[in-house]
Each structure stands twice: as C-alpha cells, then as structure tokens.
Coordinates of all heavy atoms in Angstrom, one line a residue:
I6 N -114.1 -32.1 -147.5 CA -115.3 -31.9 -148.3 C -115.4 -33.1 -149.3 O -116.5 -33.7 -149.5 CB -115.4 -30.6 -149.0 CG1 -115.3 -29.4 -148.0 CG2 -116.6 -30.4 -149.9 CD1 -115.1 -28.1 -148.6
E7 N -114.3 -33.3 -150.0 CA -114.3 -34.4 -151.0 C -114.5 -35.8 -150.3 O -115.3 -36.6 -150.8 CB -113.0 -34.4 -151.8 CG -112.9 -35.5 -152.8 CD -111.6 -35.4 -153.7 OE1 -110.9 -34.4 -153.6 OE2 -111.4 -36.4 -154.4
K8 N -113.9 -35.9 -149.2 CA -114.0 -37.2 -148.5 C -115.5 -37.5 -148.1 O -115.9 -38.6 -148.2 CB -113.1 -37.1 -147.2 CG -113.0 -38.4 -146.4 CD -112.1 -38.2 -145.3 CE -112.0 -39.5 -144.4 NZ -111.1 -39.3 -143.2
Q9 N -116.2 -36.4 -147.6 CA -117.5 -36.6 -147.1 C -118.6 -36.7 -148.2 O -119.5 -37.5 -148.2 CB -117.9 -35.5 -146.2 CG -117.2 -35.5 -144.9 CD -117.6 -36.5 -143.9 OE1 -118.8 -37.0 -143.9 NE2 -116.7 -37.0 -143.1
L10 N -118.4 -35.9 -149.3 CA -119.4 -35.8 -150.3 C -119.0 -36.5 -151.6 O -119.8 -36.6 -152.6 CB -119.6 -34.3 -150.7 CG -120.1 -33.4 -149.5 CD1 -120.2 -31.9 -150.0 CD2 -121.4 -33.9 -149.0
K11 N -117.8 -37.1 -151.7 CA -117.4 -37.8 -152.9 C -117.4 -37.0 -154.1 O -117.6 -37.4 -155.2 CB -118.2 -39.1 -153.1 CG -118.5 -39.9 -151.9 CD -117.2 -40.4 -151.3 CE -117.4 -41.3 -150.0 NZ -116.2 -41.6 -149.3
I12 N -117.1 -35.7 -153.9 CA -117.0 -34.7 -155.1 C -115.7 -34.0 -154.9 O -115.3 -33.5 -153.8 CB -118.1 -33.7 -155.1 CG1 -119.5 -34.4 -155.1 CG2 -118.0 -32.7 -156.2 CD1 -120.7 -33.5 -154.8
K13 N -114.9 -33.8 -156.0 CA -113.7 -33.1 -155.9 C -113.9 -31.6 -155.4 O -114.8 -31.0 -155.9 CB -113.0 -33.0 -157.3 CG -112.4 -34.4 -157.7 CD -111.6 -34.3 -158.9 CE -111.0 -35.6 -159.3 NZ -110.1 -36.2 -158.3
A14 N -113.2 -31.2 -154.4 CA -113.4 -29.9 -153.9 C -112.0 -29.1 -153.8 O -111.0 -29.7 -153.3 CB -114.0 -30.0 -152.5
Y15 N -112.0 -27.9 -154.3 CA -110.8 -27.1 -154.4 C -111.0 -25.7 -153.9 O -112.2 -25.2 -153.9 CB -110.3 -27.0 -155.8 CG -110.0 -28.4 -156.4 CD1 -110.9 -28.9 -157.4 CD2 -108.9 -29.1 -156.1 CE1 -110.6 -30.1 -158.0 CE2 -108.7 -30.4 -156.7 CZ -109.5 -30.8 -157.7 OH -109.3 -32.1 -158.2
K16 N -109.9 -25.1 -153.5 CA -110.0 -23.7 -153.2 C -110.1 -22.8 -154.4 O -109.3 -23.0 -155.4 CB -108.8 -23.2 -152.3 CG -108.9 -23.6 -150.9 CD -107.9 -22.9 -150.0 CE -108.0 -23.3 -148.5 NZ -107.1 -22.6 -147.7
G17 N -111.0 -21.9 -154.4 CA -111.1 -20.9 -155.5 C -110.2 -19.7 -155.3 O -109.3 -19.8 -154.4
P18 N -110.4 -18.6 -156.0 CA -109.6 -17.5 -155.8 C -109.9 -16.7 -154.6 O -111.0 -16.9 -154.0 CB -109.9 -16.6 -157.1 CG -111.3 -17.0 -157.4 CD -111.4 -18.5 -157.1
S19 N -108.9 -15.9 -154.1 CA -109.1 -15.1 -152.9 C -110.1 -14.0 -153.1 O -110.7 -13.5 -152.2 CB -107.7 -14.5 -152.5 OG -106.7 -15.5 -152.4
N20 N -110.3 -13.6 -154.4 CA -111.2 -12.5 -154.7 C -112.1 -12.9 -155.8 O -111.8 -13.5 -156.7 CB -110.3 -11.2 -155.2 CG -111.2 -10.0 -155.2 OD1 -111.9 -9.8 -156.2 ND2 -111.1 -9.2 -154.2
A21 N -113.4 -12.5 -155.6 CA -114.5 -12.9 -156.5 C -114.2 -12.5 -158.0 O -114.6 -13.1 -158.9 CB -115.8 -12.4 -156.1
A22 N -113.4 -11.4 -158.1 CA -113.1 -10.9 -159.4 C -112.3 -11.9 -160.3 O -112.3 -11.8 -161.5 CB -112.3 -9.5 -159.3
D23 N -111.6 -12.8 -159.6 CA -110.8 -13.8 -160.3 C -111.5 -15.1 -160.6 O -111.0 -16.0 -161.2 CB -109.5 -14.1 -159.5 CG -108.5 -12.9 -159.5 OD1 -108.4 -12.3 -160.6 OD2 -107.9 -12.7 -158.5
L24 N -112.8 -15.2 -160.3 CA -113.6 -16.4 -160.5 C -113.6 -16.8 -162.0 O -113.5 -18.0 -162.3 CB -115.0 -16.3 -159.9 CG -115.2 -17.0 -158.6 CD1 -116.6 -16.6 -158.0 CD2 -115.0 -18.5 -158.6
K25 N -113.9 -15.8 -162.8 CA -114.1 -16.1 -164.2 C -112.7 -16.7 -164.8 O -112.7 -17.7 -165.5 CB -114.5 -14.9 -165.0 CG -114.8 -15.1 -166.5 CD -115.3 -13.9 -167.2 CE -115.6 -14.2 -168.6 NZ -114.5 -14.6 -169.4
L26 N -111.6 -16.1 -164.4 CA -110.3 -16.5 -164.9 C -110.1 -18.0 -164.4 O -109.6 -18.8 -165.2 CB -109.2 -15.6 -164.3 CG -107.8 -16.1 -164.5 CD1 -107.4 -16.1 -166.0 CD2 -106.8 -15.2 -163.7
T27 N -110.5 -18.3 -163.2 CA -110.3 -19.6 -162.6 C -111.2 -20.6 -163.4 O -110.7 -21.7 -163.8 CB -110.7 -19.6 -161.1 OG1 -109.9 -18.7 -160.4 CG2 -110.5 -21.0 -160.5
L28 N -112.4 -20.3 -163.6 CA -113.3 -21.2 -164.3 C -112.9 -21.4 -165.7 O -113.0 -22.5 -166.3 CB -114.8 -20.6 -164.3 CG -115.4 -20.6 -162.9 CD1 -116.7 -19.7 -163.0 CD2 -115.8 -22.0 -162.5
D29 N -112.3 -20.4 -166.4 CA -111.8 -20.6 -167.8 C -110.7 -21.6 -167.9 O -110.6 -22.2 -169.0 CB -111.3 -19.2 -168.3 CG -112.4 -18.3 -168.7 OD1 -113.6 -18.8 -168.9 OD2 -112.2 -17.1 -168.9
I30 N -110.0 -21.9 -166.9 CA -108.8 -22.8 -167.0 C -108.9 -24.1 -166.1 O -107.9 -24.8 -166.0 CB -107.5 -22.1 -166.8 CG1 -107.4 -21.5 -165.3 CG2 -107.3 -21.0 -167.8 CD1 -106.1 -21.0 -165.0
I31 N -110.1 -24.3 -165.5 CA -110.2 -25.5 -164.6 C -110.0 -26.8 -165.4 O -109.7 -27.8 -164.7 CB -111.5 -25.5 -163.8 CG1 -112.7 -25.4 -164.8 CG2 -111.5 -24.4 -162.8 CD1 -114.0 -25.6 -164.0
D32 N -110.2 -26.8 -166.7 CA -110.0 -28.0 -167.4 C -108.5 -28.1 -167.9 O -108.1 -29.1 -168.6 CB -110.9 -28.1 -168.6 CG -110.9 -26.9 -169.5 OD1 -110.3 -25.9 -169.1 OD2 -111.5 -26.9 -170.6
K33 N -107.7 -27.1 -167.6 CA -106.3 -27.1 -168.0 C -105.3 -27.2 -166.9 O -104.1 -27.4 -167.1 CB -106.0 -25.9 -168.9 CG -106.9 -25.7 -170.1 CD -106.6 -24.4 -170.8 CE -107.6 -24.2 -171.9 NZ -107.5 -22.8 -172.5
I34 N -105.8 -26.9 -165.7 CA -104.9 -26.8 -164.5 C -105.5 -27.5 -163.4 O -106.7 -27.5 -163.2 CB -104.6 -25.3 -164.2 CG1 -103.6 -25.2 -163.0 CG2 -105.8 -24.6 -163.8 CD1 -103.1 -23.8 -162.7
E35 N -104.7 -28.2 -162.6 CA -105.2 -28.8 -161.4 C -105.2 -27.9 -160.2 O -104.2 -27.4 -159.8 CB -104.4 -30.1 -161.0 CG -105.0 -30.9 -159.9 CD -104.3 -32.2 -159.6 OE1 -103.5 -32.6 -160.5 OE2 -104.6 -32.8 -158.6
L36 N -106.4 -27.6 -159.7 CA -106.5 -26.6 -158.6 C -106.0 -27.3 -157.3 O -105.8 -28.5 -157.3 CB -107.9 -26.1 -158.4 CG -108.5 -25.3 -159.6 CD1 -109.9 -24.9 -159.4 CD2 -107.6 -24.1 -159.9
S37 N -105.9 -26.5 -156.2 CA -105.3 -27.0 -155.0 C -106.4 -27.1 -153.9 O -107.3 -26.3 -153.9 CB -104.2 -26.1 -154.6 OG -103.8 -26.4 -153.3
T38 N -106.2 -28.0 -153.0 CA -107.1 -28.1 -151.8 C -106.7 -27.1 -150.7 O -107.4 -26.9 -149.7 CB -107.1 -29.5 -151.2 OG1 -105.8 -29.9 -150.8 CG2 -107.6 -30.5 -152.3
N39 N -105.5 -26.5 -150.8 CA -105.0 -25.6 -149.7 C -104.4 -24.3 -150.2 O -104.2 -23.4 -149.4 CB -104.0 -26.3 -148.8 CG -102.8 -26.9 -149.6 OD1 -102.4 -26.3 -150.6 ND2 -102.4 -28.1 -149.2
T40 N -104.2 -24.1 -151.5 CA -103.7 -22.9 -152.0 C -104.7 -22.2 -152.9 O -105.3 -22.8 -153.8 CB -102.4 -23.1 -152.9 OG1 -101.4 -23.8 -152.2 CG2 -101.9 -21.8 -153.4
P41 N -105.0 -20.9 -152.6 CA -106.0 -20.2 -153.4 C -105.7 -20.2 -154.9 O -104.5 -20.2 -155.3 CB -106.0 -18.8 -152.9 CG -105.4 -18.9 -151.5 CD -104.5 -20.1 -151.5
A42 N -106.8 -20.4 -155.7 CA -106.6 -20.6 -157.1 C -105.8 -19.4 -157.8 O -105.0 -19.7 -158.7 CB -107.9 -20.7 -157.8
D43 N -106.1 -18.2 -157.4 CA -105.4 -17.1 -158.1 C -103.9 -17.1 -157.8 O -103.1 -16.9 -158.8 CB -105.9 -15.7 -157.6 CG -105.9 -15.6 -156.1 OD1 -106.2 -16.6 -155.4 OD2 -105.6 -14.5 -155.6

C-alpha cells in the first residue's frame, strides 16, 4: 500500500474497540506492517 500510494500504511488493531487506544499512541510508537497494533 505504501509502495503504491506513497503513504505510510500499517496494520491497526484486531478489534475495532482498540482503535482509540491505537490512535492515542501513534505518535509515540511505530506501528507494524505485519503485526496487528493491539
């Protein structure tokens, strides 16, 4: 996705309930392209 669109793309959490937690710390932690964020 990043290669084609030139935008950093990462895996979010496995469950939508964890999206807020993920968004709260995206400026403090480097997310992964293959491991779910949670």
Side-chain angles (χ1 to χ4, degrees):
I6 301 172
E7 180 177 349
K8 185 177 176 183
Q9 292 286 332
L10 300 176
K11 311 303 180 189
I12 302 168
K13 290 188 179 298
Y15 303 106
K16 282 195 176 183
S19 307
N20 191 277
D23 287 324
L24 257 174
K25 187 176 181 299
L26 171 67
T27 303
L28 291 168
D29 280 345
I30 61 171
I31 56 173
D32 51 350
K33 301 173 185 174
I34 184 174
E35 185 174 348
L36 298 179
S37 170
T38 61
N39 52 40
T40 302
D43 53 319

